[in-house]
Amino acid sequence: MRVDGTPVVLKLTDHERLSPDRSLELVRHSPAGFDWGYVGSGPAQLACALLLDYYDDESVTHQHYIQFRNAVVSQLVCTGPADCWHLTGDDIETALADCNEHHALTPDGGKPSPSLPANWNAVNRTDRTVFQRRDIDHYVVLAEGSEEWLVILCAQGDRAYPAPLDHRTLPVENNPASAVQALVAESNDLVKPEEDI
C-alpha cells in the first residue's frame, strides 16, 4: 500500500514490514526503497526482496528477479476498499514457474556466451537483440537498420523511460560483437564500485 504517498509492503503472515535491507546486499537498484506498477529501479528492488524473502535463496532470486519484476511487480496496482495490492505465495510460485519456462537466448544458441560478462543476459526479439544487465538497469540494444547496425547502451530510469547513454553504428556486413562488447565494458565503467567502509 501507500502511506502518505510512501510505498509500504507488509508481510501479513509475520505482521511486519518487508525491508529492502537484505535485498540491497544482493543488488542495489533502489537504495531509496521499493515501488511497483512500472518497470524501473524501485520495482526491481521490490521483486528482489519478495523472492529473497519467500524462497530464502540468493541464487534463485538473482536468476529470476528481473523477469519477476517485468511479469508481476510492474503490474501491481493498489485497488479495492483498502487501496492496496495482495500477492500470495501461490502467486509467486506460479509466476516463477512461468519464468522458469523462459530461456534467455544468447547469440551462440542458448549456451553462456564467453564474450559477455556473467552478469549479462541476451534475449532475442523479433526485430532486435537486447542484452540485459542483471544487477542494474543497463541494456545494450542491437537493431538492424537498412544499411547499418545500430547498437545502443541505455539505462532505464525510475519511471521506465530508457535514457540512451552511448551508441555505435557500423555497416551491416560487419560483425557487431565488438561494438556490443565495447558498450558492455562502458556500462561496467559507469557503475562505480562501492567503497569499503
Side-chain angles (χ1 to χ4, degrees):
M1 67 187 73
R2 296 186 190 275
V3 179
D4 296 327
T6 301
V8 175
V9 180
L10 299 176
K11 298 192 293 178
L12 296 181
T13 52
D14 298 332
H15 303 289
E16 64 182 27
R17 285 189 180 195
L18 179 64
S19 168
D21 293 347
R22 187 178 174 204
S23 68
L24 285 167
E25 294 176 5
L26 187 61
V27 294
R28 294 184 66 82
H29 284 284
S30 179
F34 301 139
D35 212 339
W36 55 80
Y38 62 98
V39 177
S41 300
Q45 201 69 54
L46 177 56
C48 180
L50 287 169
L51 292 184
L52 194 56
D53 181 74
Y54 187 75
Y55 287 102
D56 194 26
D57 187 320
E58 291 187 1
S59 178
V60 169
T61 298
H62 206 276
Q63 184 177 359
H64 296 295
Y65 80 95
I66 288 293
Q67 291 168 296
F68 186 71
R69 175 198 65 178
N70 295 348
V72 178
V73 178
S74 68
Q75 307 302 313
L76 295 175
V77 179
C78 293
T79 58
D83 196 25
C84 63
W85 52 262
H86 291 89
L87 192 66
T88 68
D90 286 344
D91 294 334
I92 293 173
E93 290 177 9
T94 298
L96 204 68
D98 291 341
C99 288
N100 282 329
E101 291 178 1
H102 169 83
H103 301 288
L105 301 175
T106 56
D108 60 357
K111 297 178 182 177
S113 172
S115 62
L116 291 176
N119 61 333
W120 286 82
N121 284 335
V123 182
N124 285 338
R125 303 292 185 224
T126 55
D127 57 345
R128 64 184 62 88
T129 297
V130 179
F131 299 87
Q132 181 179 28
R133 184 168 172 161
R134 287 198 310 237
D135 54 341
I136 197 166
D137 281 330
H138 281 189
Y139 303 82
V140 174
V141 180
L142 171 63
E144 185 176 348
S146 57
E147 297 180 4
E148 61 187 6
W149 291 105
L150 176 61
V151 193
I152 305 171
L153 171 65
C154 57
Q156 201 136 21
D158 281 344
R159 290 295 167 192
Y161 302 128
L165 300 175
D166 197 359
H167 74 280
R168 305 276 194 279
T169 57
L170 62 159
V172 292
E173 61 268 15
N174 290 23
N175 186 332
S178 60
V180 171
Q181 291 167 8
L183 293 180
V184 164
E186 185 173 327
S187 167
N188 294 334
D189 293 339
L190 289 172
V191 179
K192 296 180 181 179
E194 291 185 32
E195 296 181 3
D196 293 333
I197 298 176

